[in-house]
């Protein structure tokens, strides 16, 4: 370093201290001052991390890099390893940095006590849990929440989950899952925000902020984890864990943006993924973890492997054995081993033999300790262990109200011919039919480990509140549920159609039929890929039989993925997409059906007409042979159109919205303003999601026909108008080229604005 540089740095240092001291005496609201304070606190943490690292043995460092699951009583007998040691013994000997699935203040405290009191350095454990959509009070599945396009509500939902989880002693969630999902066969689309990287990024950041709050050390905020890094949502043929092979353009422009957004938003941790990406398992991929994440993006938190994904590199055919897998993973930047039990067994030898550099161990351990300091665990390892909070803050009325709010906002009205909905509240006879109508478990969806079976408000219960109508319930068909929690398949009864006759009778005598059909809560999620995405079992037969008796049907769908329902789309007059909406499902659905809440959700994923169209997404490329054309040789199917059944961004309201006056103003440089007038032209107050798409017409790397680049959810009273404004600048107008450079290219851009990705006002500008 030159003398000049040292001089400049000293001046900066002096100014920093000066600003800091002014800040501490005046306590000013100056954001610059706050930043400086944070910087100094960060430096303080780095100093503490360094100090602690200097005291640690290699074994202790490797211990920090190890996570065990604990579906066992930490104070009772636990399974033994080959050396007759239990996981309990491992914690006591400092071989464990984190526990997964230990929850509840009593359990967490007992486990923490071992780490703090029995290990040489007393380094506290960090306690992880899959808090995916709520803890005990269950909110809608993440795909449903994304359909609300309401970032504040999504943030609040994550806050509620964090408050409950932290009250149960936890301080780390394995959420949000930010994998872009274009393939409805993949069961894990339920955990993400759908097919779009822009919406996905906004939702991801809202969720990170909700979990982590402004102060990670507060006892009601928890570390978030952006997962699964990367490419997991692009598994071939939608089969979970399958191979992923994508080019740089898709990786950089579609898959990575939500991850980058999380990193920029200060997410504490990342999780890598089970899949291989272009021939290298993500867990052992230095390009992803070291070059992109910790290099290009400057991510300072730590990366955990997925469950056993270090050892799975052997099955992938990438690692010869456990030792080799540990070497690959540690060198690639996987900082913590979730349940492969390999780092604890091999890393020491690998460091001693020079296969893994000690600096990498220090880096990984330092990152883990940093997060523990940020969580405040060194100040008080029991700061999340408060019995009074546990009693008060889990599953209370306030949280029930909060999840009801987002549940209503997540519902998407797909179809509403002849204003079938909302239902009249008086003097009607209603037939409620379907295997999911009185189900109190399915609406909770998958990934709700602390949510208890039979606790959701069913549709039946929700509708019963509207007691001026006569309600008759008939299941029609039943499904058989395997009660073991991790059952792989829910067996919809394929043969027993005996209930259909009674359902038809009930339907015949009704003014309106509400049918609740779809997927059991455990038919989507991890390991639940489906090759057929229609109504499982004999539900389609039930639907058609009831339709013969009474055509005035409102179909309420419960599902964790887009379904292909061409018959229903054509024949049934009203269709409501109600996903798996969590604890308050039935109330949310009833309020929408009766018009006490005017639906405002919009699809975050395209709904295909048939599974053969999958993957189907709105931001496709034009190709050299776009259509439609009369002759044969253009990109299309010969037996189904290219359009989805319901497009990305689609969702109706009980009112109507008119768009006018699309205005584009160039402000100089790469800065463009767009405004549009939106009028509530119907008779009911309502909310609309105003969506802005662009198309970069000619580019050095081809761009999609449409890309979402802005949206705003607005509230309009009947007859009211509003002007909605957007700004486009480098971030929205640019893209990554195949040299991984973010560029903005001059030329013509289309600007499209509307209430879905199809019906759009269009204009353009030249950059
Ligand atoms: C495997 C899943 O892929 C991951 O998302 C989850 O967080 C871990 N299991 C831990 O349960």
């Amino acid at each position: 370093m030159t003398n000049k540089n040292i001089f400049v740095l000293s001046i900066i240092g002096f100014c920093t201290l000066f600003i800091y001291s002014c800040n501490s005496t005046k306590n000013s609201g100056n954001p610059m001052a706050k930043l400086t304070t944070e910087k100094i606190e960060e430096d303080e943490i780095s100093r503490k991390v360094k100090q602690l690292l200097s005291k640690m043995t290699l074994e202790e460092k490797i211990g920090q890099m190890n996570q065990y699951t604990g579906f066992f009583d930490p104070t009772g007998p636990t399974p033994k390893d080959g050396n007759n040691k239990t996981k309990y013994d491992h914690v006591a000997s400092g071989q464990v940095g984190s526990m997964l699935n230990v929850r509840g203040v009593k359990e967490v405290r007992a486990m923490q006590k071992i780490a703090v009191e029995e290990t040489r350095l007393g380094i506290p454990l960090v306690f992880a849990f899959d808090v995916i959509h709520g803890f005990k009070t269950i909110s809608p599945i993440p795909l449903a929440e994304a359909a609300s396009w309401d970032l504040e509500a999504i943030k609040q939902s994550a806050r509620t989950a964090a408050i409950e989880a932290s009250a149960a002693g936890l301080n780390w969630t394995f959420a949000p899952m930010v994998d872009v999902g274009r393939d409805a066969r993949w069961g894990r689309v339920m955990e993400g925000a759908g097919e779009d990287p822009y919406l996905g990024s906004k939702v991801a950041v809202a969720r990170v902020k909700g979990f982590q709050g402004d102060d990670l050390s507060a006892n009601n905020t928890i570390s978030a984890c952006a997962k699964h890094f990367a490419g997991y949502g692009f598994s071939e043929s939608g089969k979970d864990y399958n191979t992923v092979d994508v080019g740089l353009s898709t990786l950089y422009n579609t898959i990575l943006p939500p991850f980058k957004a999380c990193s920029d938003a200060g997410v504490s941790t990342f999780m890598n993924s089970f899949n291989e990406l272009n021939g290298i398992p993500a867990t052992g991929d230095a390009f992803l973890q070291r070059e992109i994440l910790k290099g290009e993006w400057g991510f300072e938190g730590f990366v955990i492997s997925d469950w056993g994904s270090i050892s799975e590199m052997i099955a992938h055919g990438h690692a010869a054995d456990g030792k080799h897998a540990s070497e690959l993973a540690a060198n690639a930047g996987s900082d913590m081993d979730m349940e492969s039990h390999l780092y604890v067994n091999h890393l020491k030898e690998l460091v001693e033999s020079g296969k893994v550099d000690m600096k990498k161990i220090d880096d990984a351990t330092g990152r883990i300790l940093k997060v523990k300091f940020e969580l405040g665990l060194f100040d008080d390892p029991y700061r999340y262990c408060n019995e009074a909070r546990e009693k008060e803050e889990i599953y209370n009325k306030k949280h029930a109200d909060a999840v009801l709010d987002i549940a209503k906002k997540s519902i998407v009205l797909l179809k509403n011919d002849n204003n079938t909905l909302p239902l009249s509240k008086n003097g009607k006879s209603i037939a409620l039919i379907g295997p999911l109508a009185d189900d109190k478990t399915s609406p909770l969806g998958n990934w709700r480990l602390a949510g208890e079976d039979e606790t959701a408000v069913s549709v039946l219960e929700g509708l019963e509140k509207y007691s001026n109508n006569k309600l008759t319930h008939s299941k029609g068909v039943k499904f058989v549920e395997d009660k073991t929690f991790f059952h792989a398949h829910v067996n919809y009864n394929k043969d027993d159609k005996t209930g259909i006759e009674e359902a038809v009778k009930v339907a015949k005598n009704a003014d309106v039929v509400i049918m609740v059909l779809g997927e059991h809560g455990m038919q989507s999620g991890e390991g639940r890929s489906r090759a057929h995405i229609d109504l499982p079992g004999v539900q389609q037969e039930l639907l058609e039989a009831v339709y013969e008796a009474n055509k005035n049907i409102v179909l309420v769908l419960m599902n964790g993925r887009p379904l292909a329902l061409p018959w229903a789309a054509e024949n049934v007059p009203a269709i409501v997409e109600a996903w798996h909406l969590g604890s308050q499902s039935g109330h949310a659905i009833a309020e929408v059906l009766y018009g006490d809440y005017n639906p405002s959700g919009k699809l975050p994923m395209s709904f295909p007409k048939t599974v053969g169209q999958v993957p189907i997404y709105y931001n496709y490329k034009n190709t050299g042979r776009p259509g439609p054309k009369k002759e044969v040789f253009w990109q299309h199917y010969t037996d189904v159109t290219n359009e989805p059944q319901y497009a990305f961004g689609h969702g109706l309201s009980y009112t109507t919205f008119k768009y006018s006056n699309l205005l584009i103003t160039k402000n100089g440089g790469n800065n463009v303003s767009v405004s549009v007038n939106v009028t509530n032209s119907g008779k009911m107050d309502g909310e609309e999601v105003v969506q802005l798409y662009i198309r970069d017409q000619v580019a050095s790397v081809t761009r999609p026909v449409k890309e979402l680049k802005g949206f705003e959810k607005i509230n309009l009273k009947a007859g009211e108008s509003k002007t909605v404004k957007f700004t486009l600048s480098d971030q929205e107008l640019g893209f990554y080229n195949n040299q991984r450079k973010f560029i903005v290219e001059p030329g013509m851009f289309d600007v499209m604005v509307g209430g879905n990705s199809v019906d759009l006002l269009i204009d353009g500008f030249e950059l």
Side-chain angles (χ1 to χ4, degrees):
M1 196 182 287
T2 63
N3 283 345
K4 195 175 154 210
N5 284 345
I6 293 172
F7 175 69
V8 171
L9 281 180
S10 319
I11 294 287
I12 293 173
F14 174 75
C15 292
T16 310
L17 270 180
F18 179 68
I19 294 169
Y20 178 60
S21 56
C22 291
N23 180 41
S24 50
T25 46
K26 282 204 292 184
N27 198 13
S28 87
N30 175 357
M32 188 52 214
K34 185 167 177 271
L35 264 181
T36 315
T37 316
E38 274 166 13
K39 184 87 203 93
I40 285 180
E41 274 164 12
E42 243 179 69
D43 290 349
E44 183 65 12
I45 287 183
S46 314
R47 198 183 52 74
K48 286 181 180 164
V49 167
K50 256 196 210 148
Q51 209 173 44
L52 184 51
L53 271 176
S54 71
K55 292 187 194 146
M56 293 170 79
T57 63
L58 174 57
E59 287 90 331
E60 282 164 340
K61 290 174 187 170
I62 294 168
Q64 288 303 306
M65 296 169 68
N66 181 33
Q67 182 187 66
Y68 282 148
T69 187
F71 268 130
F72 60 95
D73 175 1
T75 54
T78 71
K80 300 211 158 100
D81 69 10
N83 301 318
N84 217 17
K85 294 253 161 71
T86 61
K87 284 181 175 174
Y88 166 98
D89 299 323
H90 288 196
V91 174
S93 62
Q95 286 181 65
V96 185
S98 169
M99 290 300 301
L100 170 61
N101 294 325
V102 175
R103 68 176 143 109
V105 167
K106 188 166 156 255
E107 286 75 12
V108 169
R109 189 189 286 281
M111 193 55 98
Q112 191 70 296
K113 200 161 179 281
I114 300 170
V116 171
E117 292 182 12
E118 295 184 33
T119 65
R120 190 179 74 92
L121 293 168
I123 299 175
L125 296 163
V126 54
F127 289 88
F129 199 71
D130 286 283
V131 185
I132 306 298
H133 55 113
F135 179 67
K136 190 159 179 192
T137 307
I138 303 299
S139 54
I141 56 169
L143 183 65
E145 287 197 351
S148 75
W149 296 55
D150 187 329
L151 299 176
E152 192 47 40
I154 292 170
K155 184 173 148 196
Q156 277 314 318
S157 171
R159 270 291 331 108
T160 304
I163 290 169
E164 288 203 0
S166 59
L170 299 163
N171 32 46
W172 184 15
T173 175
F174 288 157
M177 185 193 97
V178 303
D179 297 305
V180 168
R182 290 172 164 177
D183 194 326
R185 292 170 297 183
W186 189 48
R188 298 195 81 168
V189 296
M190 55 116 352
E191 285 175 64
E195 74 193 33
D196 184 62
Y198 182 87
L199 176 62
S201 300
K202 299 282 178 199
V203 170
V205 169
R207 302 193 76 216
V208 168
K209 290 193 170 152
F211 288 129
Q212 297 195 168
D214 298 326
D215 174 9
L216 207 51
S217 71
N219 70 357
N220 64 3
T221 57
I222 58 179
S223 275
C225 179
K227 68 186 189 185
H228 306 84
F229 196 63
Y232 187 38
F234 276 64
S235 59
E236 270 176 13
S237 60
K239 229 189 301 170
D240 209 359
Y241 318 118
N242 206 4
T243 308
V244 178
D245 208 316
V246 293
L248 276 178
S249 186
T250 301
L251 180 66
Y252 267 78
N253 292 300
T254 307
I255 293 173
L256 294 184
F259 288 102
K260 169 114 181 12
C262 287
S263 172
D264 291 345
V267 72
S268 290
T269 67
F270 265 57
M271 185 187 292
N272 57 38
S273 54
F274 289 128
N275 57 284
E276 67 160 69
L277 177 71
N278 304 335
I280 299 176
T283 305
D285 194 342
F287 169 61
L288 282 176
Q289 296 171 104
R290 289 220 186 271
E291 201 171 327
I292 299 178
L293 178 60
K294 295 174 182 174
E296 283 170 22
W297 300 352
F299 173 67
E300 290 179 349
F302 71 90
V303 180
I304 183 161
S305 77
D306 203 343
W307 182 292
S309 68
I310 299 181
S311 58
E312 286 182 15
M313 289 200 287
I314 303 168
H316 272 292
H318 190 61
D321 51 28
K323 190 170 154 196
H324 188 204
S326 304
E327 178 189 336
L328 291 170
N331 281 332
S334 290
D335 302 312
M336 190 181 273
D337 170 0
M338 187 203 303
E339 273 295 307
S340 278
H341 303 202
L342 289 178
Y343 278 3
V344 271
N345 290 325
H346 301 292
L347 272 187
K348 184 162 184 269
E349 199 188 327
L350 285 164
V351 172
E352 285 165 354
S353 64
K355 293 235 161 91
V356 173
D357 193 332
M358 189 62 205
K359 280 199 195 118
K360 288 193 174 136
I361 303 291
D362 282 339
D363 178 61
T365 312
R367 287 168 180 273
I368 294 162
L369 294 175
K370 175 175 173 283
V371 172
K372 291 187 178 184
F373 274 110
E374 287 168 351
L375 283 165
L377 288 168
F378 283 97
D379 296 333
D380 176 7
Y382 305 106
R383 82 187 315 144
Y384 301 86
C385 296
N386 177 328
E387 282 81 359
R389 265 196 72 210
E390 187 174 38
K391 255 197 204 129
E392 278 161 28
E393 294 191 346
I394 298 180
Y395 212 62
N396 60 25
K397 165 87 172 76
K398 194 170 156 211
H399 292 175
D401 292 346
V403 298
L404 174 59
D405 178 63
I406 183 125
K408 289 188 275 193
K409 291 175 172 160
S410 304
I411 292 173
V412 185
L413 180 61
L414 294 176
K415 184 178 176 189
N416 192 20
D417 281 0
N418 316 319
N419 294 328
T420 307
L421 290 172
L423 300 172
S424 150
K425 287 181 183 164
N426 291 305
K428 296 282 171 203
S429 78
I430 298 195
L432 177 64
I433 295 172
L436 294 166
D438 62 343
D439 193 329
K440 291 175 65 60
T441 297
S442 273
L444 299 173
N446 200 340
W447 279 121
R448 39 92 191 171
L449 295 161
E452 285 167 26
D453 279 4
E454 300 288 328
T455 54
V457 177
S458 70
V459 179
L460 175 63
E461 289 167 331
L463 291 176
E464 274 168 351
K465 274 185 69 183
Y466 294 80
S467 52
N468 290 340
N469 280 339
K470 184 173 167 275
L471 187 65
T472 315
H473 170 234
S474 164
K475 254 188 183 334
V477 297
K478 289 186 200 137
F479 56 85
V480 184
E481 191 189 341
D482 178 348
K483 281 285 178 193
T484 43
F485 184 69
F486 283 108
H487 61 269
H489 302 286
V490 177
N491 176 19
Y492 271 88
N493 195 332
K494 290 211 175 79
D495 314 308
D496 184 3
K497 301 174 191 164
T498 47
I500 294 184
E501 201 182 314
E502 189 211 285
V504 167
K505 218 186 277 164
V506 169
K508 253 186 200 147
N509 300 323
D511 298 313
V512 188
V513 183
I514 299 173
M515 299 198 69
V516 191
L517 308 177
E519 295 181 311
H520 181 276
M522 287 293 161
Q523 277 189 308
S524 56
E526 186 177 348
R528 272 75 168 186
S529 293
R530 293 178 63 205
H532 303 285
I533 53 171
D534 47 10
L535 292 171
V538 287
Q539 295 183 90
Q540 181 67 30
E541 282 167 78
L542 171 69
L543 175 60
E544 291 184 30
V546 169
Y547 182 82
E548 280 307 307
N550 189 337
K551 296 192 170 28
N552 199 22
I553 295 177
V554 175
L555 173 59
V556 175
L557 293 171
M558 282 188 188
N559 41 292
R561 56 157 63 75
L563 297 176
L565 303 173
W567 187 91
E570 192 176 329
N571 296 292
V572 174
I575 306 181
V576 175
E577 176 51 73
W579 316 102
H580 295 128
L581 290 175
S583 302
Q584 293 291 315
S585 286
H587 291 320
I589 293 166
E591 284 191 35
V592 163
L593 296 184
Y594 278 106
D596 284 339
Y597 180 80
N598 188 354
S600 64
K602 304 274 184 175
L603 292 180
M605 249 185 117
S606 310
F607 273 44
K609 290 180 180 139
T610 161
V611 71
Q613 291 178 307
V614 170
I616 184 167
Y617 46 95
Y618 84 94
N619 45 357
Y620 57 88
K621 299 284 188 77
N622 206 37
T623 80
R625 294 196 172 195
K629 289 196 177 108
K630 283 212 175 92
E631 65 271 21
V632 174
F633 302 106
W634 60 285
Q635 62 94 5
H636 72 306
Y637 301 101
T638 55
D639 52 358
V640 63
T641 64
N642 281 350
E643 287 71 43
Q645 189 75 63
Y646 297 112
F648 175 83
H650 168 78
L652 304 172
S653 162
Y654 295 148
T655 188
T656 45
F657 298 98
K658 283 227 163 77
Y659 285 73
S660 61
N661 280 346
L662 175 59
L663 274 180
I664 300 175
T665 316
K666 286 167 66 178
N667 305 320
N670 292 337
N671 191 290
V672 177
S673 302
V674 178
S675 70
V676 70
N677 286 353
V678 188
T679 304
N680 181 341
S681 49
K683 294 199 176 72
M684 232 176 135
D685 300 350
E687 288 161 280
E688 168 72 327
V689 180
V690 182
Q691 302 162 39
L692 176 143
Y693 298 84
I694 64 163
R695 178 177 183 182
D696 183 348
Q697 286 189 4
V698 180
S700 56
V701 181
T702 60
R703 307 302 307 137
V705 296
K706 267 167 215 167
E707 290 180 273
L708 182 73
K709 291 295 175 184
F711 64 88
E712 196 178 326
K713 192 162 189 173
I714 56 168
N715 216 311
L716 287 177
K717 300 224 168 308
E720 194 190 356
S721 292
K722 265 187 194 160
T723 303
V724 179
K725 294 187 176 135
F726 299 96
T727 305
L728 298 171
S729 55
D730 283 358
Q731 218 189 331
E732 291 78 25
L733 299 171
F735 62 90
Y736 285 92
N737 68 12
N738 289 346
Q739 285 68 50
R740 297 155 52 200
K741 264 219 167 97
F742 189 80
I743 52 169
V744 184
E745 291 185 338
M748 289 303 300
F749 285 77
D750 295 334
V751 173
M752 296 158 270
V753 181
N756 59 59
S757 63
V758 178
D759 307 307
L760 297 158
L761 296 180
I762 178 164
D763 202 344
F765 65 90
E766 186 170 359
L767 201 62

